[in-house]
Amino acid sequence: METLSTNIAHGGMQGVYSHASGATNTDMTFSVFVPPHAPGAALPVLWYLSGLTCTHANVTEKGEYRAACAEKGVIFIAPDTSPRGDEVADEDSYDFGKGAGFYLDASEAPWSRHYRMRSYIEEDLPALIADQFPMADMTRQGITGHSMGGHGALTIALRNPARFRSVSAFAPIVAPMQVPWGQKALPRYLGEDRETWRRYDACALIDDGARVPELLVDQGLADNFLADGQLRPELLEQACERAGIDLTLRRQPGYDHSYYFISTFMADHVAWHAERLK
């Protein structure tokens, strides 16, 4: 692991790091905020997965999570959204390729060589965190994310309920099989077998029996992607009702899809996770 930068903030340490990933076969960059803590303390971990076009930097610079994490004693980890590098397949499209890894393991060429974000988030980066950050208590992990990252947080938590004790999301893509973003990305990354798509669709996973005890979701009602049908929170609401999952879905009037929205409710989410990660 290489340290790219460190800065003191709210009494803790905000770092940006890179490492050679065995999952993506590329160098990957991520950020970690470690709050102030006593020597030998074991701190819970909150993962944040970013949305389309983003890197670790968006939430690190605009997410306004550090004060809440310092108050609650929570480590905050922000990975990238896709593999990077000149050798990585890409296309001139904001919603596919670099910046749009959809937190899945691609099976179709040329994407399968590097686009393995599921393995990166579920296995590769957690192993590095456990090795390099001894204060991180990997028995107490929560996960959240925004938009495509909300999709990642929900699906990863639903597939790994024993690992993640809390899960929330900001304006998540809850049913990619039923919206244009997913209908573009899933067949190209995974092929035409729709059964394989279900592993990466929160509503489908719930209907197939995946369970978490509870969910917190915030959705801005002035979100342009809500208006054009890319976000379908009502489908998650219906799936959770059928499954008996306790969903708190907060529809926030006037808020859009931006980090103005995310930063407004970030402290609520940090506190919500901290309570469940005690």
Side-chain angles (χ1 to χ4, degrees):
M1 186 179 76
E2 179 184 357
T3 300
L4 302 181
S5 67
T6 56
N7 297 92
I8 298 293
H10 296 277
M13 179 64 71
Q14 178 65 67
V16 177
Y17 310 92
S18 70
H19 72 116
S21 168
T24 66
N25 299 304
T26 64
D27 289 343
M28 297 292 289
T29 302
F30 62 97
S31 73
V32 180
F33 177 70
V34 178
H37 60 281
L43 307 177
V45 172
L46 178 58
W47 297 84
Y48 177 91
L49 305 184
S50 295
L52 289 165
T53 76
C54 292
T55 70
H56 72 282
N58 298 75
V59 69
T60 304
E61 296 168 3
K62 298 185 289 187
E64 299 183 22
Y65 55 83
R66 280 173 285 267
C69 286
E71 177 186 351
K72 300 297 183 180
V74 174
I75 295 173
F76 191 96
I77 304 174
D80 203 346
T81 54
S82 78
R84 307 281 176 174
D86 293 340
E87 74 281 12
V88 175
D90 194 20
E91 65 174 43
D92 187 17
S93 175
Y94 84 95
D95 55 0
F96 191 80
K98 291 181 185 177
F102 275 88
Y103 301 100
L104 52 75
D105 280 356
S107 58
E108 300 298 297
W111 317 104
S112 57
R113 181 181 177 192
H114 299 295
Y115 285 81
R116 299 183 57 79
M117 291 302 295
R118 171 183 177 174
S119 292
Y120 181 68
I121 300 299
E122 292 185 358
E123 301 169 15
D124 196 18
L125 188 54
L128 183 74
I129 296 297
D131 181 64
Q132 296 291 323
F133 295 86
M135 74 293 293
D137 183 354
M138 303 303 280
T139 69
R140 293 187 292 156
Q141 297 184 68
I143 191 167
T144 187
H146 171 232
S147 194
M148 179 186 71
H151 142 78
L154 294 173
T155 56
I156 288 170
L158 285 162
R159 289 193 306 264
N160 299 275
R163 179 181 300 181
F164 295 98
R165 289 168 51 175
S166 56
V167 56
S168 72
F170 301 86
I173 306 170
V174 302
M177 294 176 66
Q178 301 185 56
V179 303
W181 276 333
Q183 290 164 352
K184 175 179 179 178
L186 295 178
R188 297 189 65 190
Y189 283 135
L190 300 172
E192 295 298 334
D193 182 2
R194 294 179 65 90
E195 284 302 307
T196 66
W197 302 4
R198 298 182 70 85
R199 305 169 197 165
Y200 301 104
D201 183 302
C203 291
L205 281 166
I206 291 170
D207 285 342
D208 289 346
R211 295 290 183 268
V212 293
E214 56 186 333
L215 296 170
L216 170 64
V217 173
D218 274 298
Q219 173 64 62
L221 294 184
D223 189 324
N224 58 305
F225 297 117
L226 179 66
D228 69 9
Q230 297 280 20
L231 307 174
R232 301 285 305 277
E234 75 279 1
L235 296 180
L236 181 65
E237 200 168 37
Q238 294 161 13
C240 287
E241 184 175 357
R242 290 192 297 269
I245 294 173
D246 182 8
L247 168 66
T248 300
L249 174 56
R250 307 193 304 186
R251 293 176 168 90
Q252 305 290 3
Y255 284 92
D256 60 17
H257 201 68
S258 73
Y259 270 87
Y260 295 109
F261 158 64
I262 298 165
S263 63
T264 299
F265 301 104
M266 180 65 83
D268 289 355
H269 283 244
V270 171
W272 189 85
H273 285 275
E275 179 65 26
R276 286 149 184 82
L277 296 175
K278 283 183 177 177

